[in-house]
Amino acid sequence: MALPFSSVLRVGLSCLLGACAVGPAGAQTSTLPVPAARVVAPGPDVPDSSLSPECRVPGSKLYTLAKLRAVKKALLEHRAVHVLALGSASGGLGGMTYPGKLESTLEQSFPDVAVDVDSRSLPGEITFGASERVRNIVAEIEPDLVVWQVGSNDALARVEVEAFATSLAETVDWIKSHGIDVVLVDPQYTASLAEDGYYNSFVRTIQRVAAEKQVPLVLRFEAMRYLAGLSKGAALPGSGFRLADLGHRCMAEHVTRAITVSLLQPDVTGTAGPPTPEPARSGTPRSDAPRPAAGNPNP
């Protein structure tokens, strides 16, 4: 019998943190009582049972994956992981907000490692206009990871798609050049925008930028489309407000899953399908990386 994916994550992250024994022929085995042959993750089209029942989405509709070197380094050093949450839904106080829940779900996933989530709202700002502000915030916080909800305001403002793509790619490059990981979260889903070609072009553009820049992406649009389809006549009887509320409550879990699965698949880049070798990169590790300078787009 296959183990629940939550157990798979716990075992994998325990091994990442060094809580593994060396078995026959040098193979790593978890020190937890889990036979290695039974550690099986769900397929990309199987809803992830480690998520809350109302938030369960197949991996193929939930995330794309890439390496998270800075987060992994923090875990291996057994130090706190510092996360900066950016976007229109990132503000607020209290444990039930998105930033509070993200901090809680990440701490539950990372054995014996503290997680600090700082949040900054960018309400109403388009990516091009927010680029310098994002760099200043990152320089101030100096996180290990930036989780950036992006694209909704740009799409609604009818910003030129390629100008948006260029600004997003340049900002992601700048963040990564300072040894900081990035996870992108694409625009929210609503039934009224589901068939809007311009809005959908932004969703596809963010997917392209995430793949080109080799950063994980939370497929919020596809995840909520999937949950909306399940909810017809059931959990969310035609209420756009209730769907938006569900998306807000599920997002922390979805972001956490994208992060943890990326950490467990260090050789995966791009989609949640078969592993794709990542090209060799040059550059200094995070410990030697230059710290961000506020307002300096060319470190």
Side-chain angles (χ1 to χ4, degrees), residues 83-87 90 98-99 102 117-121 145-147:
V83 179
L84 171 61
L86 290 173
S90 294
Y98 160 67
L102 178 61
V117 175
D118 202 336
S119 64
R120 294 290 189 275
S121 293
L145 169 66
V146 173
V147 178

Side-chain angles (χ1 to χ4, degrees), residues 38-184:
R38 294 175 60 204
V39 178
V40 180
D45 297 316
V46 178
D48 188 342
S49 62
S50 68
L51 298 166
S52 299
E54 69 273 18
C55 299
R56 290 175 182 170
V57 177
S60 62
K61 300 180 184 300
L62 183 56
Y63 48 63
T64 63
L65 307 175
K67 294 182 180 181
L68 293 173
R69 292 182 175 86
V71 175
K72 182 175 291 186
K73 185 174 187 293
L75 292 173
L76 291 171
E77 293 174 352
H78 295 269
R79 60 175 175 81
V81 178
H82 298 282
V83 179
L84 171 61
L86 290 173
S88 58
S90 294
L93 300 173
M96 297 306 293
T97 63
Y98 160 67
K101 188 171 183 181
L102 178 61
E103 183 172 288
S104 175
T105 55
L106 284 171
E107 286 189 330
Q108 291 172 17
S109 296
F110 296 160
D112 305 318
V113 173
V115 178
D116 298 321
V117 175
D118 202 336
S119 64
R120 294 290 189 275
S121 293
L122 299 172
E125 290 198 40
I126 62 174
T127 298
F128 181 80
S131 178
E132 183 174 353
R133 185 178 174 202
V134 167
R135 297 179 189 195
N136 288 337
I137 293 171
V138 171
E140 174 193 349
I141 303 300
E142 297 188 1
D144 299 293
L145 169 66
V146 173
V147 178
W148 190 5
Q149 303 168 56
V150 69
S152 294
N153 293 329
D154 298 82
L156 293 174
R158 288 327 206 220
V159 171
E160 202 279 320
V161 176
E162 286 308 311
F164 162 80
T166 298
S167 182
L168 177 62
E170 289 177 351
T171 306
V172 169
D173 277 341
W174 183 88
I175 296 171
K176 291 183 66 178
S177 74
H178 292 94
I180 298 169
D181 291 330
V182 180
V183 171
L184 297 178

Side-chain angles (χ1 to χ4, degrees), residues 112 202 222 291:
D112 305 318
F202 274 80
E222 282 303 319
R291 301 310 306 161

